Amino acid sequence: MRKTGALLWLWLLLLSLWLIPAGCGPAEKAADTEIYIPILADAAWLLADGSFYNGASLAVEEANAAYAATGFTVKAELVDDGALYEKGVEMATGLARDPAVTAVLNLQNFDVSKTTAGILAESGKVALFPYGAYDSLFTGDNPYLFCGVPAFSDLGKAMAVYAVEKGYRRIAVYYNGLQSQEELVTAFELALQNSNARVVDYISSIPSESVFDAIYSRWQALGVDCVVIAQYGLDEAFAVLRTIRNRDQELPVLGEPIFNRANALAVNKEIAEGMAVPSTLIIEPGKALEDFKERYRSKYGREADIWAVQGYDILRLIADTAVKLGTNEPAAIAEALHDQEGYRGVGRHIAFEKGGALVVDVAKLPILICRDGKFE
């Protein structure tokens, strides 16, 4: 009887051990190795074009396929701030407090990201800015902040080089006075110092066609042969361009990269025809890029533009770095992103300065010309 009871007890013990989910250990490991990358942005703005988000989504899909056997999983989701300052700060604060967050792709309005960058970094979260942010964010030694595009000062220098090469001598500059535009036009004018080109007029607003008539008459008197437009806000930038084009369709216009948005160009291609903008990325042709474009075309039924490449490369930059290190810890990833060797994406080589600014060879930054609704 005692023997039978002992056997029964042993059988029940073995049965209970067998019923414990065998996946407990691996499940805990999978949770620990999730690479969670929220995309913090105004959803309506981001999805209106869709290129960046599509590229990032494809990166998640392909990274999960590539790392299926490693215990790592990649998760990205869009966190909508509605283009509102208060909500943007609230959303960033929530992400900063979330221990599951590995890195944040911050595509917020620059006046919002100026605040939320500090919130995220102070909480030890890697924050990348794929569309840029104020240059001043990347002049310190904050190890968690990274800019995914050239600094506004780099764009200004590239625009100046182009203006000099084209032989422009008397340039009018329109800028709306925000910090990023000031950074651009200041670098632009400084880069002209050792040339024959000069900025002869600055204007910060064109409230009406009638007001612009007086401005245009001044430009004629000054002999203006090129206009630079540095305007924050897509709709506002095209409104300035339209006002100028309604008065003069031949005057050369050099704009900042905000004009290079496919959805806006589809509506404004006539007024954008012939204008020049610096590219925000130095895309390097090669097999990896062509293969990516084919996969993107197959999935989305459209061509991949530079923002699709950017979405893919920036997300894979985080995911690939985490897997290479064997950790999803933000501090380790941030340190690795400062490696001078950088990261090879499908479209370009990505490396960062000490303060997180993108390493850029201004001489190689291409100037794109709008032809039939497309900058190339």
Side-chain angles (χ1 to χ4, degrees):
M1 185 72 177
R2 188 175 299 174
K3 182 177 179 181
T4 302
L7 289 173
L8 178 62
W9 179 86
L10 180 60
W11 182 85
L12 290 173
L13 175 63
L14 292 173
L15 179 63
S16 65
L17 290 173
W18 178 76
L19 289 173
I20 294 174
C24 271
E28 291 175 359
K29 180 181 179 182
D32 289 341
T33 54
E34 178 180 79
I35 305 165
Y36 177 35
I37 310 172
I39 301 172
L40 182 56
D42 170 21
W45 167 79
L46 185 65
L47 299 179
D49 174 79
S51 293
F52 179 90
Y53 189 74
N54 289 344
S57 298
L58 182 58
V60 170
E61 178 183 319
E62 294 186 352
N64 280 324
Y67 302 136
T70 68
F72 282 89
T73 58
V74 182
K75 174 186 174 183
E77 62 181 355
L78 178 55
V79 178
D80 183 15
D81 73 358
L84 300 173
Y85 182 88
E86 292 79 7
K87 187 175 181 182
V89 172
E90 178 186 350
M91 295 296 99
T93 300
L95 294 175
R97 293 173 177 173
D98 186 349
V101 172
T102 303
V104 176
L105 304 189
N106 190 316
L107 287 78
Q108 294 179 296
N109 176 296
F110 286 6
D111 286 331
V112 182
S113 66
K114 186 176 182 179
T115 299
T116 57
I119 293 172
L120 294 166
E122 287 168 8
S123 296
K125 304 299 185 186
V126 175
L128 286 99
F129 300 82
Y131 278 68
Y134 290 135
D135 288 0
S136 58
L137 287 180
F138 311 103
T139 57
D141 294 328
N142 195 313
Y144 291 100
L145 303 180
F146 301 89
C147 189
V149 294
F152 280 93
S153 57
D154 289 332
L155 297 176
K157 293 172 187 176
M159 293 165 73
V161 170
Y162 176 80
V164 170
E165 290 177 350
K166 295 296 290 184
Y168 302 138
R169 294 292 179 264
R170 303 181 67 77
I171 302 168
V173 172
Y174 173 95
Y175 78 108
N176 67 352
L178 291 181
Q179 181 179 333
S180 54
Q181 280 62 48
E182 290 181 355
E183 291 165 342
L184 186 151
V185 299
T186 298
F188 176 81
E189 186 166 19
L190 288 174
L192 296 178
Q193 285 186 341
N194 296 321
S195 73
N196 294 322
R198 294 290 180 270
V199 175
V200 297
D201 195 25
Y202 276 104
I203 56 172
S204 58
S205 68
I206 305 176
S208 66
E209 295 278 354
S210 59
V211 170
F212 182 67
D213 285 342
I215 295 171
Y216 184 73
S217 295
R218 183 169 74 242
W219 287 357
Q220 287 184 308
L222 291 170
V224 169
D225 56 7
C226 175
V227 177
V228 169
I229 301 177
Q231 166 70 55
Y232 185 76
L234 188 62
D235 293 338
E236 295 84 352
F238 275 103
V240 172
L241 178 61
R242 184 173 297 279
T243 298
I244 294 173
R245 282 288 177 248
N246 285 344
R247 195 67 174 81
D248 190 329
Q249 297 182 8
E250 302 300 326
L251 184 63
V253 175
L254 182 55
E256 65 169 290
I258 195 170
F259 289 98
N260 191 7
R261 292 295 300 273
N263 57 326
L265 283 171
V267 178
N268 296 287
K269 72 176 186 177
E270 290 185 4
I271 62 172
E273 185 72 13
M275 79 173 298
V277 302
S279 175
T280 47
L281 301 174
I282 302 174
I283 299 296
E284 303 169 2
K287 187 177 186 304
L289 179 61
E290 292 307 312
D291 289 347
F292 164 75
K293 287 181 176 181
E294 179 58 36
R295 299 194 307 275
Y296 186 93
R297 188 184 305 115
S298 176
K299 184 173 181 64
Y300 297 110
R302 55 189 283 195
E303 295 300 318
D305 63 13
I306 62 171
W307 295 114
V309 176
Q310 177 76 326
Y312 186 90
D313 275 350
I314 290 294
L315 197 135
R316 287 299 297 259
L317 166 67
I318 298 298
D320 293 350
T321 300
V323 173
K324 180 179 178 180
L325 295 173
T327 180
N328 59 3
E329 286 299 318
I333 293 170
E335 182 178 357
L337 292 182
H338 284 287
D339 191 323
Q340 293 182 353
E341 292 184 4
Y343 171 82
R344 170 58 61 182
V346 297
R348 60 181 176 137
H349 180 259
I350 302 172
F352 300 100
E353 305 282 1
K354 181 180 179 182
L358 186 71
V359 174
V360 175
D361 183 348
V362 174
K364 293 182 179 180
L365 198 61
I367 298 294
L368 309 176
I369 309 299
C370 186
R371 302 295 184 198
D372 195 26
K374 184 178 181 181
F375 280 101
E376 52 188 13

